[in-house]
Amino acid sequence: DAKPSTSMPRQRVTAKGNNVPAPLESFQDLITRYNVPPRLLDNLEHSGYLEPTGIQVHGVPILLEGRDLAAISPTGTGKTLAYLLPIFASLGAPASSSNDDTSRGVRALVLAPTRELAHQIHNECLKLAQGRKWRIVLFSKATASTLADKNVRDKVDIIISTPLRMVAALQAGNLDLSNVRHLILDEADRMLDPEFLEQVQEVTGACCHSSVRKAVFSATLPANAEKIAMGMLDDPIRVVVGLKDT
Ligand code: ADP
Ligand code: MG
């Protein structure tokens, strides 16, 4: 039999929705199909990411084509890269170097249930953004106060945060999410649970740009969370990854 293309466990993937984009054959496809800057591929390679995992193969084209996505894939299957890659591929010039209103201020927001997870996601961002001048903020009390200054705020490209921190900054009038184009809920089963739901809704409501693209990622999505997710997403594609028995 052919050798496995990745060190990841063998995966079975289903993708359902309208006009599902073709999966990636390899990370090289990003250059040929989507004109992704080669530098991003270099950063993948330097991070040891040689072949895309199942959720990356299917999820990345969906997000790059501007579609909403509900992604359900087991723990350890590379969900973080599946949503960060399309963000970095389409982010454009850093806000700090732009005079153009469309590339000003926070354009991508990733929400995670715990500070520790937000921290891990931020680290993953730093690997992928090597050599680029994007400002990627791990949101905390301290950063929240620096962002109270509009001049600082306008130069931020990406925020990674827990929902509660965002709500506090929004209520203080210290945050503008009206230019967010990529909104991600990681560990969506927890984010859409009653513990976080109201906060999450407040934040998603503030991401009011007409072309905000939303995605939820989770290892599991109980029926109730799934129903809420489907209500938030616009014409979504639902991708489910299961591990094959060995
Ligand atoms: P999940 O969020 O699905 O639990 P993570 O995004 O945390 O999974 O990724 C799990 C591990 O797999 C991480 O150590 C990550 O660096 C690694 N990984 C992700 N994508 C790839 C890939 N394409 N090739 C090799 N390793 C990968
Ligand atoms: Mg994860």
Side-chain angles (χ1 to χ4, degrees):
D1 210 356
K3 68 178 164 53
S5 60
T6 146
S7 56
M8 289 279 166
R10 281 155 55 84
Q11 298 169 357
R12 181 202 316 273
V13 187
T14 59
K16 287 191 183 142
N18 296 321
N19 301 315
V20 177
L24 296 178
E25 301 272 336
S26 69
F27 285 134
Q28 288 303 317
D29 266 5
L30 293 171
I31 297 183
T32 50
R33 273 173 62 185
Y34 297 107
N35 218 6
V36 165
R39 159 135 243 161
L40 191 52
L41 272 283
D42 293 344
N43 289 347
L44 285 177
E45 198 173 320
H46 291 149
S47 308
Y49 304 147
L50 304 179
E51 295 290 338
T53 64
I55 193 59
Q56 293 161 10
V57 157
H58 290 262
V60 169
I62 290 168
L63 295 177
L64 279 174
E65 295 191 19
R67 299 290 303 277
D68 281 9
L69 170 66
I72 301 155
S73 183
T75 302
T77 55
K79 293 190 289 295
T80 318
L81 187 60
Y83 61 74
L84 290 182
L85 202 49
I87 290 175
F88 286 111
S90 57
L91 199 58
S96 59
S97 70
S98 178
N99 299 315
D100 168 8
D101 274 354
T102 60
S103 43
R104 193 165 272 177
V106 187
R107 277 140 27 253
L109 174 62
V110 180
L111 293 178
T114 65
R115 173 134 180 93
E116 196 202 329
L117 182 61
H119 187 80
Q120 288 170 20
I121 297 164
H122 185 251
N123 280 340
E124 203 61 34
C125 284
L126 298 183
K127 288 197 243 170
L128 295 176
Q130 289 267 337
R132 298 296 306 266
K133 293 205 166 70
W134 291 308
R135 209 159 290 178
I136 305 163
V137 170
L138 175 60
F139 212 65
S140 66
K141 218 170 192 166
T143 53
S145 70
T146 67
L147 295 192
D149 179 346
K150 186 176 184 318
N151 290 319
V152 176
R153 197 156 73 214
D154 277 351
K155 295 188 173 78
V156 172
D157 297 288
I158 302 180
I159 292 179
I160 320 293
S161 182
T162 59
L164 190 58
R165 276 271 159 258
M166 291 271 101
V167 167
L170 283 170
Q171 287 175 350
N174 288 342
L175 193 63
D176 180 0
L177 299 178
S178 64
N179 207 20
V180 168
R181 311 304 173 90
H182 311 267
L183 173 62
I184 310 290
L185 302 187
D186 200 351
E187 311 226 330
D189 54 342
R190 287 193 62 193
M191 304 298 283
L192 300 172
D193 174 279
E195 184 193 353
F196 287 116
L197 183 59
E198 240 176 81
Q199 296 164 24
V200 166
Q201 283 171 333
E202 183 153 354
V203 178
T204 57
C207 297
C208 57
H209 197 278
S210 55
S211 65
V212 61
R213 194 258 298 137
K214 302 193 186 95
V216 303
F217 282 77
S218 202
T220 60
L221 207 51
N224 198 38
E226 168 123 17
K227 200 171 153 207
I228 298 166
M230 291 307 169
M232 285 176 46
L233 302 175
D234 181 21
D235 189 23
I237 296 172
R238 184 174 180 276
V239 175
V240 180
V241 177
L243 298 183
K244 282 186 179 167
D245 300 335
T246 43

